[in-house]
Amino acid sequence: MTLLAVERIKLFSTRSPWWCAALALVITVGITALIAANTSTEFPLTVGVTQAFYTFGMYVVLVMAALAITTEYRFSTIRATFLAVPNRISALLAKTVVVSLLAGVIGELVAFGSWGISKLIKPDVNIAINTAQEWRNVAGVGAVFFVGAIFAIAIGTLLRHTAGAVALLLVWALVVESLVGIIPKIGDDIQRWMPFVNGNRFLTAGTEPFPGEPVINYPFGAWGSLGYFAAISVGLLIVAFVVAKRRDA
Amino acid sequence: MIEAKRLSKHYGRTVAVDDLSFTVNPGRVTGFLGPNGAGKSTTMRMILGLDRPNGGDVLIDGQHYAGLKHPLRKVGALLDAKWVHPNRSARAHLRWLAKSNRLPVSRVDEVLEMVGLTAVAGKRAGGFSLGMSQRLGVAGALLGDPEILLFDEPVNGLDPEGILWIRQLMHRLADDGRTVFVSSHLLSEMAQTAQDLIVIGRGKLIAATTTEQFIHDATEDRVRVRSPQASRLRELLAGQALVADDAVDGALVVHGLAASVVGEVAAENGIVLHELSPQRGSLEEAFMQLTKESVDYHAHD
């Protein structure tokens, strides 16, 4: 508990988490508002549509999570941390928990903010959250942000450099995972095992695919996909921790 | 007490610390002296568990640093004053440090007061001058009221006022009976603060002794003599001492004899002296002499 308090003080005594949280909210809710305002009978507003742009906020949160650890290396405060808490795994785990929880909270704010603004703009359209699938689609965003943050912290810990970690994360999540599917023959087989694709699958399983969206034959069900995404992220985190423990700070 | 036993560290093929053993005794100020690149910082990082030695071991009161329960209460270290997030306030920086070792928040204000940063405690540390950063680093080191303190080149880059402050701090800490281990590449600086010296060059131990003894051993006394009968005096002294010529004015430089002895020899033999002056070897010269072979990068003339 002490270490969680330490990381909480650290995280909130700089401005970047506040800016990232605000940016994630404004971008996602703003774009959802534009979409909601322009829905029509041909393109109706649904619960799924209100959540379709969660990735915008997620990318910002991935950057925030990676920064939380890379700035420690950048300013050598990681050394001050390891001097105060020589058990490196505990110190890094505490940071992961605090940052991921914040990411989860931002995820819920983004999800319900997007849903709420849609409801305000189109009060006549019924987008009540009723079914378990709809709840998963909205409330699940927090879980995906939480797991994504773990993934980002693992990458940040391994690479230690802000530019490298952020570039890798964004190229991976934005480009690699979506373009790997265009490889002939094997592309689909690879894509269905991609971590962020599976995170997205957890949210969207059971909803109507958007026009033009590729149909992937996933290896797991909705919750299985989330579990798979989490297993990859935690696995990566364990590798990162072992590396951080062994190398010179 | 800090005990290093056969400590080694290499980066690829570069050897930073080579089979280094020494003991830092409790309740004294020990200077850790060596030219730049001698391995002082690497050794300090290994003491603190930041770097992993390739060989050997270093213990603090019989324990590894990593085994200390609340390390900041036992060991305070200032290796680099810039190990602070620039956008975090001085107080927030100390607050998380205090929290990590279960120290009361009131201690943060105490150490801020001690180093004279109370007025700027809420300001972001990135805007601090080097002197202020150094004070913040000292505040961090003193936070847990530790009995052992490590400082790496604490006066580097400071203005005279800052240097004086650090010197007085070292003396105050020693007077409290704390163990202080402070590194420097300046012997003159160490001569003013340290009681014991550990001298290294190229990662190897050169000397481990008291400062007094080190200076005594390292600086040889010479006597400069000018006389119209220089060649006669040279013959008389030749049996007892090493006599050289000063290339500039032809004076004799006598090694290994006190000025009084030289004067007596001259008087007994009726030799006129125009000059008889003892020359004290400088500390820096002595240090250069000792570490000459162990400097990594020589300037070429």
Side-chain angles (χ1 to χ4, degrees):
Chain A
M1 283 318 283
T2 308
L3 293 183
L4 294 181
V6 168
E7 292 301 331
R8 196 198 65 229
I9 296 172
K10 274 197 204 166
L11 188 64
F12 292 116
S13 57
T14 61
R15 276 167 300 184
S16 75
W18 299 112
W19 281 111
C20 287
L23 192 64
L25 263 171
V26 168
I27 292 181
T28 316
V29 175
I31 290 183
T32 305
L34 280 176
I35 299 292
N38 290 289
T39 48
S40 58
T41 41
E42 295 94 74
F43 189 84
L45 183 65
T46 62
V47 172
V49 168
T50 67
Q51 300 306 312
F53 297 92
Y54 79 92
T55 46
F56 285 68
M58 186 180 71
Y59 297 134
V60 177
V61 166
L62 292 181
V63 170
M64 176 202 77
L67 276 175
I69 184 73
T70 56
T71 52
E72 290 244 21
Y73 279 101
R74 164 80 175 77
F75 299 117
S76 290
T77 48
I78 196 74
R79 292 179 176 150
T81 302
F82 291 160
L83 284 185
V85 186
N87 186 339
R88 297 184 184 184
I89 305 264
S90 306
L92 292 170
L93 187 63
K95 176 178 290 295
T96 309
V97 169
V98 170
V99 173
S100 303
L101 280 177
L102 175 67
V105 170
I106 297 174
E108 296 303 341
L109 291 175
V110 163
F112 285 97
S114 299
W115 179 81
I117 197 111
S118 305
K119 186 84 191 153
L120 274 177
I121 290 169
K122 289 282 168 79
D124 303 332
V125 181
N126 179 18
I127 52 166
I129 307 169
N130 295 315
T131 65
Q133 174 260 313
E134 283 167 342
W135 274 108
R136 172 161 47 76
N137 199 172
V138 181
V141 170
V144 171
F145 276 38
F146 180 87
V147 176
I150 295 174
F151 190 96
I153 291 168
I155 296 293
T157 308
L158 281 170
L159 266 61
R160 291 185 279 187
H161 292 284
T162 301
V166 167
L168 179 66
L169 275 171
L170 293 185
V171 167
W172 180 268
L174 272 167
V175 185
V176 175
E177 291 214 357
S178 51
L179 290 190
V180 74
I182 65 170
I183 302 173
K185 287 183 191 163
I186 55 165
D188 288 349
D189 278 339
I190 299 174
Q191 196 171 32
R192 68 200 195 108
W193 292 102
M194 288 288 151
F196 285 94
V197 165
N198 274 277
N200 185 59
R201 146 82 167 168
F202 163 69
L203 299 176
T204 57
T207 56
E208 280 291 306
F210 292 108
E213 200 184 1
V215 181
I216 302 173
N217 179 25
Y218 288 97
F220 309 104
W223 288 93
S225 287
L226 180 69
Y228 174 73
F229 182 31
I232 294 273
S233 301
V234 170
L236 208 54
L237 190 71
I238 291 170
V239 172
F241 282 7
V242 169
V243 170
K245 187 178 162 62
R246 296 183 62 89
R247 74 186 162 202
D248 293 339
Chain B
M1 186 160 77
I2 304 170
E3 271 176 296
K5 277 176 271 175
R6 313 207 60 175
L7 216 48
S8 298
K9 177 77 188 176
H10 48 78
Y11 300 101
R13 289 170 67 185
T14 315
V15 178
V17 175
D18 187 6
D19 202 19
L20 184 64
S21 301
F22 61 84
T23 305
V24 178
N25 291 311
R28 294 173 73 88
V29 179
T30 303
F32 192 28
L33 196 61
N36 289 328
K40 302 186 296 292
S41 301
T42 306
T43 305
M44 287 197 151
R45 282 203 303 271
M46 287 192 285
I47 293 172
L48 296 167
L50 290 176
D51 284 11
R52 179 187 281 266
N54 293 104
D57 210 1
V58 56
L59 299 174
I60 295 162
D61 285 348
Q63 268 189 302
H64 286 117
Y65 185 87
L68 300 173
K69 183 153 172 25
H70 290 301
L72 299 187
R73 299 189 193 183
K74 178 89 177 173
V75 184
L78 172 55
L79 296 197
D80 190 329
K82 290 287 171 200
W83 290 0
V84 179
H85 193 296
N87 289 334
R88 201 172 276 143
S89 70
R91 181 177 280 113
H93 173 72
L94 294 172
R95 220 154 51 82
W96 76 255
L97 279 175
K99 188 80 191 174
S100 69
N101 277 243
R102 291 176 179 268
L103 297 160
V105 182
S106 58
R107 182 67 190 156
V108 169
D109 294 317
E110 272 174 48
V111 289
L112 280 168
E113 185 70 47
M114 277 163 85
V115 300
L117 287 181
T118 305
V120 292
K123 295 246 158 57
R124 44 184 291 275
F128 282 11
S129 68
L130 181 63
M132 287 158 83
S133 298
Q134 203 78 355
R135 281 165 189 263
L136 179 56
V138 169
L142 297 179
L143 197 59
D145 195 17
E147 61 200 83
I148 300 172
L149 285 137
L150 271 75
F151 297 97
D152 192 9
E153 300 270 7
V155 300
N156 248 16
L158 291 187
D159 56 14
E161 194 200 342
I163 293 174
L164 187 67
W165 183 75
I166 290 280
R167 268 187 211 151
Q168 287 169 343
L169 174 81
M170 301 281 152
H171 286 299
R172 224 169 32 239
L173 293 171
D175 292 345
D176 292 349
R178 295 178 215 260
T179 305
V180 183
F181 190 44
V182 51
S183 80
S184 177
H185 62 277
L186 299 171
L187 178 58
S188 53
E189 185 57 42
M190 287 296 92
Q192 303 196 41
T193 37
Q195 294 154 291
D196 291 339
L197 281 183
I198 291 163
V199 186
I200 66 167
R202 278 202 182 171
K204 281 196 170 71
L205 187 70
I206 292 177
T209 171
T210 62
T211 308
E212 205 180 333
Q213 187 66 40
F214 179 80
I215 292 168
H216 179 82
D217 290 352
T219 56
E220 191 198 11
D221 290 350
R222 289 164 303 173
V223 183
R224 242 177 80 87
V225 194
R226 279 195 306 125
S227 163
Q229 295 138 283
S231 52
R232 170 95 181 101
L233 184 61
R234 179 202 296 276
E235 279 163 31
L236 289 166
L237 292 172
Q240 310 168 57
L242 188 69
V243 185
D245 286 304
D246 189 316
V248 180
D249 59 0
L252 301 178
V253 182
V254 183
H255 294 260
L257 271 187
S260 55
V261 180
V262 177
E264 280 159 22
V265 170
E268 275 165 29
N269 296 280
I271 293 171
V272 176
L273 295 185
H274 290 169
E275 182 187 346
L276 177 66
S277 55
Q279 312 271 300
R280 197 115 183 72
S282 85
L283 288 178
E284 295 310 325
E285 228 174 281
F287 179 49
M288 298 264 283
Q289 194 72 25
L290 262 172
T291 57
K292 183 164 64 182
E293 282 82 44
S294 56
V295 174
D296 258 344
Y297 307 102
H298 286 287
H300 291 282
D301 298 327

